[in-house]
């Protein structure tokens, strides 16, 4: 019996992943270079896998101001996200889970400040009973620690929870932790191979939450 749902954040609740990649591409283009999507996709859902500005230095054969470019990238992403809404169906799923009395958690490789700031802007923060971020674990996704901590915090067994993910790293983490996993790719993750997940759909808007639950009996 499903007793809880655990959401990823970036690219799943808010399509920040597209903005993050577009901002990287802008900076690379300004340095007469390019960040291939297939390289960038390996970073999605995790941290410290690849330093994009070290990669930029390798491509152009010269040093750059990494910290300056990191700050510029952050500012551009924030500007791109200004005024954006949650992805289709997200709030409907949160509301439906709440009405059914399910516990609602969040497990993300991002920082708590980043996530809670945007959840407040989207008016979604009150839905969550527990939020686990990179601040809470030593290893982020694809390590299963975030999901293990989330279900522990929610007071349910892994097999009693469904994870919602947009990335391959996130899906691997959820399955390793023993949760069911539903994948909803975004524009920058839709070409990835997600492996042994339990269901995949284009948006949460395509299937009502109660109908999805029936698939997990």
């Amino acid at each position: 019996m499903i007793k809880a749902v655990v959401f990823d954040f970036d690219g799943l609740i808010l399509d920040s992943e597209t903005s993050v990649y577009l901002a990287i591409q802008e900076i690379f283009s300004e340095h007469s270079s390019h960040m291939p999507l297939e390289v960038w996709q390996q970073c999605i859902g995790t941290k410290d896998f690849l330093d994009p500005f070290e990669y930029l230095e390798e491509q152009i054969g010269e040093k750059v101001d990494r910290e300056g470019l990191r700050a510029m990238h952050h500012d551009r992403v924030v500007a791109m996200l200004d005024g954006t809404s949650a992805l289709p169906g997200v709030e409907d799923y949160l509301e439906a889970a709440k009405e059914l009395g399910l516990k609602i958690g969040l497990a993300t490789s991002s920082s708590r400040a980043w996530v809670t700031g945007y959840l407040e802007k989207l008016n979604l923060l009150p839905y969550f009973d527990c939020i686990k971020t990179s601040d809470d674990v030593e290893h982020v996704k694809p390590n299963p620690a975030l999901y293990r901590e989330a279900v522990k915090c929610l007071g349910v067994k892994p097999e009693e929870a469904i994870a919602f993910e947009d990335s391959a790293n996130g899906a691997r983490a959820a399955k390793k932790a023993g949760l069911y996993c539903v994948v909803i790719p975004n524009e920058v993750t839709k070409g990835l191979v997600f492996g042994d997940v339990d269901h995949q759909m284009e948006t949460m808007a395509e299937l009502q939450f109660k109908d999805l639950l029936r698939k997990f009996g």
Side-chain angles (χ1 to χ4, degrees), residues 9-10 13-14 78 81 84 106 108 110-126 131 133 135:
F9 180 72
D10 291 290
I13 290 177
L14 181 71
V78 169
L81 291 174
T84 54
L106 189 144
T108 174
S110 294
S111 71
R112 182 171 295 273
W114 172 264
V115 171
T116 56
Y118 278 105
L119 286 176
E120 286 178 347
K121 289 180 181 179
L122 296 169
N123 296 315
L124 299 179
L125 188 58
I131 294 175
T133 73
D135 301 335

Side-chain angles (χ1 to χ4, degrees), residues 27-195:
I27 293 172
F28 271 59
S29 179
E30 289 161 8
H31 288 79
S32 301
S33 188
H34 174 72
M35 168 63 79
L37 180 57
E38 59 271 22
V39 173
W40 186 252
Q41 284 174 330
Q42 299 175 63
C43 309
I44 297 173
T46 188
K47 287 178 68 175
D48 303 326
F49 178 83
L50 171 73
D51 184 331
F53 305 114
E54 180 180 354
Y55 182 85
L56 176 60
E57 289 178 343
E58 293 171 357
Q59 300 309 300
I60 64 177
E62 59 183 70
K63 294 290 185 182
V64 299
D65 177 7
R66 294 189 194 180
E67 293 311 308
L69 291 182
R70 230 180 294 282
M72 179 190 296
H73 177 255
H74 178 269
D75 290 345
R76 291 187 183 187
V77 171
V78 169
M80 288 180 185
L81 291 174
D82 185 42
T84 54
S85 304
L87 282 161
V90 169
E91 189 161 7
D92 290 339
Y93 267 46
L94 289 168
E95 186 62 34
K98 183 178 180 181
E99 288 178 358
L100 290 170
L102 301 185
K103 296 285 188 177
I104 303 175
L106 189 144
T108 174
S109 296
S110 294
S111 71
R112 182 171 295 273
W114 172 264
V115 171
T116 56
Y118 278 105
L119 286 176
E120 286 178 347
K121 289 180 181 179
L122 296 169
N123 296 315
L124 299 179
L125 188 58
Y127 283 106
F128 292 92
D129 300 301
C130 179
I131 294 175
K132 292 297 179 181
T133 73
S134 59
D135 301 335
D136 300 306
V137 294
E138 185 176 352
H139 301 291
V140 297
K141 304 170 188 177
N143 188 288
L146 277 164
Y147 277 109
R148 287 174 177 163
E149 288 298 313
V151 293
K152 181 180 177 181
C153 176
L154 294 172
V156 301
K157 298 175 183 177
E159 62 270 21
E160 295 173 332
I162 300 172
F164 292 98
E165 273 289 349
D166 70 290
S167 73
N169 284 317
R172 283 196 289 271
K175 294 302 291 182
K176 284 179 185 176
L179 285 75
Y180 292 105
C181 184
V182 174
V183 170
I184 304 102
N186 57 56
E187 285 302 308
V188 295
T189 63
K190 62 184 180 182
L192 292 173
V193 176
F194 291 97

